[in-house]
Every structure is written in C-alpha cells, then in structure tokens.
Amino acid sequence: MGSKEMPRRTRTILCFLLLFCVSCKCLASEFEITQVASLGVDSSPHLARKIPDTLFGIFFEEINHAGAGGIWAELVSNRGFEAGGPHTPSNINPWSIIGDDSSIFVGTDRTSCFSRNKVALRMEVLCDNCPVGGVGIYNPGFWGMNIEDGKTYNLVMHVKSPETIEMTVSLTSSDGLQVLASAAIRVPGGSNWIKLDQKLVAKGTDRTSRLQITARTKGVVWLDQVSLMPSDTYKGHGFRTELISMLLDLKPRFLRFPGGCFVEGSWLRNAFRWRDSIGPWEERPGHYGDVWNYWTDDGLGYYEFLQLAEDLGAAPVWVFNNGISHHDEVDTTAIAPFVKDILDSLEFARGSAESTWGSVRAAMGHPEPFPVKYVAIGNEDCGKENYRGNYLKFYNAIREAYPDIQMISNCDGSSTPLDHPADLYDFHVYTGSSALFSMKNTFDNTSRSGPKAFVSEYAVTGNDAGRGSLLASLAEAAFLTGLEKNSDVVQMASYAPLFINDNDRTWNPDAIVFNSWQQYGTPSYWMQTLFRESSGATVHPISLSSSCSGLLAASAITWHDDENSFLRVKIVNFGPDAVGLTISATGLQGSINALGSTATVLTSGGVMDENSFANPNKVVPVTVELRDAAEEMQVTLPPHSLTAFDLALAQSRLVADV
C-alpha cells in the first residue's frame, strides 16, 4: 500500500478481504488498489427519512413449475385425470400402465362423483393369475417423487368398484423394482364412490420414486382424485418446508400473486379463475396455463396464496384478471360480471365468517379475514384497447366497497402523470446488466406527488445473466440502492421470477432453483438478503466522489434488530478494479461500537460465476467482524462486488432514537 505503518482500521478490512480470498481461492494480488473513492454519510436526524414498511417483498408466479411440482408439496401430477381435457377417452399423462394388453385395460370416462371435474380413470384387470407384482398404473410425479426414509406420506384416493377388489398401493423406485412403502387396500363392492386414506411410511430413500396402484385379480375399479402429500409440510398448510424457509430468510414484506402472465392467460378461457381454485381440493377442476404451457390442479389456489402470505408475515397483493388476455379482451360494456367476480373474491378474503363468500373461507379453516389491502388491476395490460375502460369499472367498484384498498395500475407513471386514478403504478424492467446498473437513478426525477411506484418485476436478463450470474446480481443491487434512496416515491419492489424447477427452465434466471429434493439460491437471491432489513428502516443522504464513480453505487440506512441499532452502508463495485474507499459518517447522535460491527461481501473469482446443485455456495455472502469499525475508515472494495458494512451504534444513539 506504499506505507510501512498501515492504519489498524485498514488492516482489519484487508484481513477481511484476505479471509474472503482464501474462501474463494483467489489471489491477494487481485486486490491491488487502482482506484480511490470517498463516501460520506450524513446521519443527521433532520435529513433522515423513513423507508416504507413494504419496500421489499416477493412476487410468486406459476411459471417454471414454481407451484405445481414446487412449493406446493403435492407429489402426484394430474391427480384428477383432468389434464387430458374434458372429452374422453383422454390422455392420462404422466400416469402410465403396468402390464400389457392381455392383462389390463385402462381408459377414462365421465363418471366421477365430482361435478366440476367429471373425468375418472377406469381400470379393468383382465388376468386371473396376474404377475407377482400385479398390474395397474403408476404416477412418477413431477420428474420423480422424493421419498425419504422414515417419513410418512398421506395417500388419499377416491375409488368405486362393482365388486370387492383387493389392491396394493406402493411407493417404489422409478423402475418399480425396489419397494419403499406398501399397503394392501380392500375396495368394497358397490355403486357409490368412497374415499380411502392410507399412511405410507418409507423404508428407504429414493429421489425419483413413483406411486403404484396395482391389483392381482380380475375386476373393474374406477379411480379419481389421487393425492400423495408428505406429512411434514410447512405448518401443515401444504407447502414444501425447505423452500418456504428460503422465502422466510428474505423477510418479505409483501407477496404479489399469482402472476404475471399466468393471471392473464394467452386466451381468457385459460386465465386463472379464483373461484375454481377454492373449496375442497377434490372439487377443483384445475386448468391449463397456456402461457407457460402446463397443467395445474390448482391445489395451490387463491386461499392457499392468502395463507402463504400470512405464514410469511407478508401483505397479500392480489393480481386479478381485468377481462384481458394476451389475445382477447372483454369490451368495457360487458365487463360487469368480471367486476362482480372480483368483488366476490375480496369478500372471500375480507368478509366476515357470516358473509356469503367469507363463510366459504371459514369453512376452509380460516374464520378470521385475510388483510388484503393491495390489488393490481391486470398485468402488463396498459396498452390494450379496453384496459382504461375496464380499469375504471374495477377501480370505482372496489373504491366504493373497500375504500382502504390500494389499487395498482398497469400504466407507468414514473416519467409522465397517469391519466386515470391510482394509488400505485406498476413498473417492470428486464434488461441487461449495464442497462439496469445505469437505471439506479431512474426515479430521481419522478414527481414527488401522485401515485407511488410498485417495481413489481425487475431482473437482469440476456447473455450476461446466464442462469443467475454474479454480474446480474450486482446490477440489480445497484438498482435497489436507487430504490432505497427514492423510497419516498417507490413503495414496493420485487424480483422476478422467484422460483424455477430445474426440470422446466422456461425462464432464466430466477432467484431460487430446486428439484424434487434440492434447492439453492442464485446470486440474485443472496443479493436480496442484504436488502431485507431496508423495509421500515431509515435512509440517509450520501455523497460519493471518485474518478470511477460511474461504476459505483451506494446507499446508507439505519436499521434495528431486537437489541441493537446499525448503520448499514452498501456499496456496489461494478467495475473490474479494486477500489480504495474512505467511508465517513457524520451527524451520529452517538459513536460507532466496534463490538457487533460486521462486513459482508458478495463476490466471486469470475463475474459470470453461478451457483449450482454441485456447488450451491460458490457465490454467497461472506461475513466477518469489524473489530476496528469507526466513524471514518478506509476499506477496499473487491472488483465486481457488493459489500455491506453494518456499523453497530452505541447505546447513546439508541436512547437518542427513542
């Protein structure tokens, strides 16, 4: 560094960087400082501004099998045999037959006892002396069922047989040769459908298992609504625990759902219909999502999304269809039934347990209302012919019935005023890393009056995003520092998409990648963990000066945990050179306490580095203590990095804040 006597503060930070280098197997020479900069933070109370409590949340869309085969823990794919359409005979995919033409005949008909999904499977066993393992059908789930040793799985199925028949239900390996769990079931003869429940306890682990339903004697049996759920779902609410845990770690303040384009549909006939997704799961018809091209049984429905928001401690943001899809629209003169439908959805969520739709919610197990206070009228529909006319019909009806609900327009009001009333407006951005980095000042010149911005979808896409690169996460972090600084006009923001099943990579990149039994966060996920304390925090003005300031982005906030208060300074170094940075904080009511102060850095040896199942922690934040933290300190920012300095504030500051 050109000096024999290095200040202790600088030595501390450089030791931190050396520690990080060891973990990443990089060379100390890579941190030779070629650029210098200074960052001033003015923490004076009269210049501080509270960030909205809702600033950072999450957006869930049924895309990439995020729900079906994802956070919704149902293991059976096409459990009601409806995916092949309402006409029979129909395709039963992914169900397959065990046996040949001489031993079994399998088809579909419309004899189900469920009025909203009439298709049932008819299985006729033709053999008197069937093979040892029997003949029947099997379901591989969503690219294989994850069955784990010692765990219990709850099987439910509806059956009917004119004569008593003995059957076997089994969890087996993908080839059927290894049996992990098995139970004999007697189906009594009769003309009525019956519901059978069976617990299966696994004696072995297989990540690509299947469910088998077999028989060994001649007979006919009908089956419908076959479900297999693990017994250890999150709070017993049907969600995959390990994926929900990753969401909880983000501390989301809101949950936007269920889309996205999933809400619109390529055609209205395939749009998400909330009332078809509530009530007993057996009675839900399911639907084909024709934008992302797969069937969903809608076990993860409107009620479950509201329950998920509650479980996460997040405010629900209900995005509903406003009579517009990608290819067809309802004229404003005929939109009244759609408006009534959405008013009913709000009564379902918010109405008393004695109201028409609130009683349906109560019957599902939630007598207390869900606090829906945000609705988005459509998704990316601003330029459509009937959007403004339809929007006003919904807006006026909801405002009259629920005056406290905040309504979100699809039209961007960041640069020009909206021509219609709204509480918030949607802002979506998908672009390259350099472009998004340059957008960190997007809202600097936005009008400070009028509706607030909801940046409900943002992400780096394209070649420099890969499947979730460090470079992408750094550009996104820079963009978020701009949202923090402009949080007087930006009220909410969420990354998109949230989830991707590794077997259905329709949209890359995403925040969380999973398969039947593994999961990891991309760098964009880990980047968001460094912003999870921002909602409800206090933002401070900063001054940044450097010859390379065009490649730096920064913000400063004060946040509190249960016991302490911290000044968090976040700096993105988007450039290829290490930067020597002097940080100075003024206006503090007390002093910085080295005890409890930390530095966290997100970087890697290569700017296009990604995480994977083989190396899920290749690009993750590394945190160390800052034992010599002070009001002024000299630090080194690694090339292509996001660094967060959490400087613990002394007790005197806490008293002053109170």
Side-chain angles (χ1 to χ4, degrees):
M1 295 294 291
S3 173
K4 293 183 180 179
E5 287 298 318
M6 185 182 302
R8 290 187 62 203
R9 290 190 299 270
T10 303
R11 290 204 307 271
T12 300
I13 303 302
L14 289 181
C15 286
F16 156 63
L17 294 176
L18 178 60
L19 174 64
F20 178 78
C21 270
V22 171
S23 70
C24 290
K25 301 179 181 178
C26 59
L27 301 175
S29 60
E30 292 184 44
F31 291 114
E32 179 181 355
I33 296 176
T34 59
Q35 304 285 343
V36 294
S38 62
L39 175 66
V41 180
D42 191 339
S43 300
S44 301
H46 69 281
L47 296 177
R49 176 173 43 78
K50 187 178 185 298
I51 295 174
D53 292 334
T54 56
L55 185 58
F56 293 127
I58 55 176
F59 163 45
F60 181 93
E61 176 164 17
E62 181 60 271
I63 181 177
N64 308 319
H65 278 84
I71 65 165
W72 189 243
E74 174 63 65
L75 294 173
V76 176
S77 177
N78 188 20
R79 65 186 178 189
F81 308 103
E82 303 289 330
H87 304 293
T88 57
S90 58
N91 190 344
I92 61 172
N93 185 65
W95 292 90
S96 295
I97 297 172
I98 302 170
D100 56 27
D101 291 349
S102 65
S103 60
I104 188 171
F105 179 86
V106 175
T108 55
D109 59 29
R110 294 181 55 80
T111 61
S112 172
C113 58
F114 300 110
S115 60
R116 291 201 293 173
N117 41 20
K118 293 299 295 181
V119 177
L121 182 135
R122 179 183 182 274
M123 184 174 80
E124 183 176 1
V125 179
L126 304 175
C127 48
D128 280 317
N129 297 304
C130 296
V132 174
V135 297
I137 56 174
Y138 72 86
N139 188 289
F142 300 89
W143 300 282
M145 299 178 180
N146 178 37
I147 302 300
E148 297 184 329
D149 185 40
K151 288 193 174 182
T152 300
Y153 299 85
N154 300 320
L155 175 68
V156 178
M157 62 182 187
H158 297 260
V159 297
K160 180 182 72 170
S161 178
E163 297 180 356
T164 299
I165 186 170
E166 304 289 339
M167 304 185 71
T168 301
V169 292
S170 308
L171 300 177
T172 75
S173 57
S174 60
D175 57 9
L177 298 179
Q178 179 187 3
V179 178
L180 305 175
S182 184
I185 292 180
R186 167 173 285 195
V187 180
S191 59
N192 295 324
W193 286 86
I194 61 172
K195 180 180 180 180
L196 297 178
D197 296 89
Q198 179 66 50
K199 293 186 181 300
L200 297 171
V201 180
K203 297 180 179 179
T205 295
D206 193 309
R207 308 300 187 184
T208 57
S209 302
R210 70 190 199 187
L211 169 68
Q212 292 188 173
I213 304 172
T214 56
R216 295 184 60 189
T217 57
K218 186 178 293 187
V220 178
V221 63
W222 281 262
L223 299 103
D224 198 11
Q225 298 303 325
V226 181
S227 171
L228 183 70
M229 292 281 278
S231 62
D232 60 349
T233 62
Y234 186 72
K235 292 188 174 183
H237 291 157
F239 304 113
R240 185 168 152 181
T241 301
E242 63 274 21
L243 295 182
I244 299 304
S245 178
M246 294 190 72
L247 298 185
L248 288 167
D249 284 346
L250 292 176
K251 299 182 180 178
R253 294 303 184 93
F254 65 83
L255 169 66
R256 179 179 184 246
F257 70 89
C261 296
F262 180 74
V263 169
E264 301 167 274
S266 187
W267 297 91
L268 279 172
R269 62 177 176 267
N270 292 318
F272 178 78
R273 306 284 181 174
W274 74 271
R275 68 176 71 222
D276 285 342
S277 74
I278 63 169
W281 60 267
E282 299 98 329
E283 298 177 6
R284 302 182 190 184
H287 80 287
Y288 179 71
D290 61 354
V291 175
W292 307 121
N293 299 312
Y294 59 90
W295 174 266
T296 64
D297 289 315
D298 288 334
L300 177 58
Y302 181 52
Y303 174 88
E304 287 73 23
F305 282 117
L306 294 169
Q307 183 64 69
L308 177 59
E310 181 176 276
D311 289 348
L312 295 173
V317 181
W318 164 220
V319 184
F320 60 76
N321 187 288
N322 67 105
I324 297 175
S325 76
H326 287 185
H327 293 104
D328 58 343
E329 302 182 32
V330 174
D331 190 272
T332 301
T333 59
I335 200 65
F338 286 76
V339 175
K340 175 62 165 59
D341 182 65
I342 296 307
L343 291 176
D344 289 345
S345 78
L346 294 174
E347 182 178 279
F348 175 89
R350 295 182 37 146
S352 72
E354 289 73 40
S355 65
T356 300
W357 286 102
S359 64
V360 177
R361 180 199 68 240
M364 294 181 69
H366 203 285
E368 295 300 317
F370 289 108
V372 176
K373 295 182 179 179
Y374 299 92
V375 297
I377 303 175
N379 174 73
E380 297 181 348
D381 292 328
C382 182
K384 304 292 179 63
E385 179 181 357
N386 292 303
Y387 181 69
R388 281 169 172 77
N390 291 1
Y391 173 92
L392 289 173
K393 293 291 187 180
F394 285 100
Y395 180 92
N396 291 331
I398 295 171
R399 181 62 80 221
E400 180 178 353
Y402 302 96
D404 64 315
I405 286 183
Q406 301 284 289
M407 281 174 276
I408 305 161
S409 168
N410 289 177
C411 300
D412 178 14
S414 61
S415 56
T416 57
L418 298 182
D419 60 1
H420 53 275
D423 299 294
L424 300 101
Y425 58 85
D426 260 332
F427 184 97
H428 293 183
V429 55
Y430 296 100
T431 188
S433 59
S434 294
L436 190 61
F437 181 88
S438 68
M439 292 179 66
K440 60 185 181 296
N441 300 320
T442 293
F443 293 94
D444 286 3
N445 299 316
T446 295
S447 172
R448 269 36 206 174
S449 62
K452 307 295 186 182
F454 182 9
V455 184
S456 55
E457 299 182 32
Y458 74 85
V460 169
T461 55
N463 293 334
D464 51 3
R467 291 190 169 191
S469 67
L470 170 66
L471 181 64
S473 70
L474 298 180
E476 291 155 0
F479 180 65
L480 295 192
T481 64
L483 300 190
E484 286 181 322
K485 290 185 286 187
N486 286 290
S487 56
D488 56 329
V489 293
V490 179
Q491 187 165 323
M492 310 167 90
S494 49
Y495 177 92
L498 182 59
F499 284 112
I500 187 169
N501 188 313
D502 191 50
N503 297 285
D504 178 14
R505 284 189 169 271
T506 298
W507 184 294
N508 290 292
D510 308 83
I512 299 171
V513 184
F514 64 90
N515 56 25
S516 69
W517 62 286
Q518 297 168 295
Q519 60 283 324
Y520 66 85
T522 63
S524 294
Y525 169 84
W526 291 110
M527 174 277 297
Q528 291 177 69
T529 65
L530 298 183
F531 287 82
R532 63 190 171 193
E533 314 296 350
S534 297
S535 299
T538 301
V539 65
H540 304 290
I542 64 168
S543 59
L544 181 63
S545 62
S546 169
S547 58
C548 62
S549 59
L551 295 175
L552 300 178
S555 66
I557 65 169
T558 297
W559 66 279
H560 308 268
D561 63 15
D562 292 338
E563 299 179 354
N564 301 300
S565 180
F566 299 88
L567 174 65
R568 172 172 290 180
V569 180
K570 293 189 292 290
I571 311 104
V572 177
N573 180 4
F574 199 59
D577 300 315
V579 176
L581 179 69
T582 300
I583 300 175
S584 59
T586 61
L588 296 173
Q589 302 303 297
S591 61
I592 289 177
N593 188 352
L595 183 64
S597 294
T598 61
T600 302
V601 66
L602 179 68
T603 190
S604 190
V607 73
M608 292 303 296
D609 283 354
E610 304 176 356
N611 293 329
S612 63
F613 290 124
N615 193 355
N617 297 318
K618 185 173 186 178
V619 188
V620 297
V622 175
T623 301
V624 297
E625 295 180 356
L626 287 180
R627 297 177 182 175
D628 293 300
E631 286 81 356
E632 181 172 319
M633 57 186 190
Q634 295 172 326
V635 300
T636 299
L637 304 178
H640 295 124
S641 63
L642 164 62
T643 307
F645 297 97
D646 277 313
L647 308 179
L649 300 178
Q651 187 66 30
S652 59
R653 175 62 186 269
L654 292 177
V655 173
D657 282 351
V658 174

